[in-house]
Every structure is written in structure tokens, then in C-alpha cells.
Amino acid sequence: MLGERIGEDIGKITSQRVLPSEGGAPRIETSFQAAGAIYGVKATDLGTYVACVRPDGSLYGEGQGLLMGQAGETATWKGGGVGTMKKDGAISYRGAVYYQSASPAWQKLNSIAGVFEFEIDPQGNTKGQLWEWK
């Protein structure tokens, strides 16, 4: 069951590069930077993920990143999800993410699974939303 929404951010793709294919599947590495909040703490989210195009045209991606709060909080994350490419070039992902943090404001992240929506518009702008999976 999905719990409350615990975070959201807005950002921009900062770089992309094509990686060698594996098993014939095209792969792209994408990095982004976003600003928002998680559990009410304002934060910057830096992340990189690798997505491959599957035979049916859908995407599968895995990534990792770093959250940095305004008062020195830090958390790392790893996650994965599936995506679809829209006709206009936008991409929409859905998946799960797992965190690790020693910062008191974010220690609760250590014991949750997060479920996310991550949208990328044709200009490379991103919007992420995060819910606690109970």
C-alpha cells in the first residue's frame, strides 16, 4: 500500500552519453540535478542512471545518487524502474528506490522502500515524486 508522499523535486538533465550495447540493446547513461524536499527538508538531488531499450520499446533503468540537505544532511540512494517514451520525446518512469543516511532528519529513509514517478520533458526538464511504500 502506498503511504504519504514524502518528497518531490524539479530539475534538469545535465549530461547523457551512449554506452556500449549489451545483447544488442541500446544503453544510455543520464545524469541529472534537481532541487526539492524530502520529509520536509530542502535538498539537492544528484543522480545518474543507465537505461536500456527493451525489445518492445519500453525502458529499464537502474541508478544511484546523493541527496544533500541545506543543513548538511546527506543520503545516498539506489533504485530501478521501467519507462515509456512518448511521441513528443518525453519519458516517464515508475520504480522503487532505497536510501541510506546517518543524518537524523533522514534516518527514517533507512527503513523504507520508496516508490517514485520520474518525468522528463522533451527539453530535459525533470520532475520527481516519491511515496513511502508501506
Side-chain angles (χ1 to χ4, degrees), residues 98-110:
Y98 308 94
Y99 294 87
Q100 185 171 353
S101 180
S103 299
W106 287 339
Q107 280 190 330
K108 185 175 180 180
L109 290 170
N110 295 329

Side-chain angles (χ1 to χ4, degrees), residues 38 40-44 66-76 100-107 109:
I38 188 162
V41 177
K42 290 184 180 181
T44 298
L66 172 66
L67 283 176
M68 297 177 293
Q70 288 186 330
E73 301 90 353
T74 60
T76 58
Q100 185 171 353
S101 180
S103 299
W106 287 339
Q107 280 190 330
L109 290 170

Side-chain angles (χ1 to χ4, degrees), residues 25-101:
R27 296 184 322 136
I28 298 175
E29 178 184 86
T30 302
S31 294
F32 66 91
Q33 181 173 341
I38 188 162
Y39 285 123
V41 177
K42 290 184 180 181
T44 298
D45 186 7
L46 303 172
T48 299
Y49 62 90
V50 175
C52 67
V53 180
R54 301 191 293 187
D56 67 355
S58 65
L59 302 169
Y60 172 74
E62 293 182 350
Q64 59 195 8
L66 172 66
L67 283 176
M68 297 177 293
Q70 288 186 330
E73 301 90 353
T74 60
T76 58
W77 59 263
K78 289 186 179 185
V82 294
T84 56
M85 292 185 278
K86 310 295 182 183
K87 289 182 182 182
D88 65 357
I91 299 174
S92 181
Y93 281 99
R94 303 293 183 265
V97 63
Y98 308 94
Y99 294 87
Q100 185 171 353
S101 180

